[in-house]
Amino acid sequence: RAGQLHEASELYARALSAKWRALRGKECAVAHNNLALILYETFGDEVAAEKHYTDSIHIAQELNLSFWYPYKNLGQLKEKTGHTTEAVAMFRKAAAFQGDSGLGWYASLLLPYIYTSSTNIDTWRRSFEENVSRLEKEAKSKQLVISDPLHLEGVPQYLLSYQGVSDIALKK
């Protein structure tokens, strides 16, 4: 319920505040990640959410934790806000920590919703074609492992058909 999420966000913020500092180590990284989720998904506050995801990532890096959730969540925020290159980087980092090909697969198939130029379209198409080819090779050699499909968070939208270029060769 929205009222409980508002209360939860206040409690997380209080626990993370400099005055209180109730959380340490991994708990602190988890709290930043969870607060970011609430701030973005419930309240639409992209700026605050990005700050808390980034704080979570920094804490995890300092403690040498394999905590992949803030990378995945920041990737989703970047994807939804049109920062596809940054989203791909975050998904790839999450996949590296996770040890599963699912998020890497997702990153390989991700395309922007809006392009800045026809050159930009060409660049993304080339990248997409290379990624599909690589994924096909990985699948044939059994290097492509998706142990938990639930981590995929869906499939990237197939946006090539909106680019005004034939994609028949890719579909074969």
Side-chain angles (χ1 to χ4, degrees):
R1 291 179 17 206
Q4 291 174 330
L5 289 174
H6 183 72
E7 183 180 336
S9 69
E10 289 176 352
L11 290 172
Y12 276 126
R14 191 169 132 206
L16 291 167
S17 71
K19 289 181 186 177
W20 209 42
R21 291 213 192 258
L23 304 174
R24 302 268 186 257
K26 185 172 182 176
E27 290 177 338
C28 193
V30 170
H32 277 291
N33 181 67
N34 292 349
L35 178 56
L37 278 168
I38 293 170
L39 291 170
Y40 181 62
E41 297 295 331
T42 304
F43 303 112
D45 191 342
E46 297 168 15
V47 174
E50 183 173 352
K51 180 204 176 300
H52 285 286
Y53 286 137
T54 303
D55 288 348
S56 179
I57 288 168
H58 287 260
I59 291 165
Q61 287 173 339
E62 285 176 17
L63 299 173
N64 203 25
L65 300 173
S66 295
F67 187 52
W68 57 272
Y69 293 100
Y71 292 100
K72 178 190 75 127
N73 294 334
L74 183 54
Q76 288 174 323
L77 184 148
K78 292 296 186 179
E79 177 187 1
K80 290 176 185 175
T81 57
H83 302 279
T84 310
T85 302
E86 294 171 52
V88 167
M90 289 295 110
F91 288 134
R92 290 197 191 285
K93 286 180 182 178
F97 280 115
Q98 186 186 27
D100 186 279
S101 300
L103 287 169
W105 175 83
Y106 188 93
S108 295
L109 300 178
L110 190 60
L111 294 168
Y113 298 120
I114 298 172
Y115 298 89
T116 56
S117 67
S118 59
T119 304
N120 189 244
I121 290 173
D122 294 339
T123 300
W124 278 99
R125 284 187 74 82
R126 254 189 322 280
S127 176
F128 186 86
E129 290 170 6
E130 291 167 6
N131 288 337
V132 168
S133 178
R134 182 182 44 77
L135 290 172
E136 183 179 27
K137 288 174 187 170
E138 288 177 8
K140 285 180 180 176
S141 67
K142 302 204 185 317
Q143 293 175 333
L144 183 65
V145 177
I146 301 174
S147 57
D148 190 348
L150 295 177
H151 289 157
L152 288 178
E153 299 290 330
V155 177
Q157 293 182 15
Y158 186 73
L159 300 171
L160 290 182
S161 58
Y162 298 106
Q163 296 175 347
V165 180
S166 175
D167 55 337
I168 293 172
L170 273 175
K171 292 181 179 180
K172 289 183 180 181

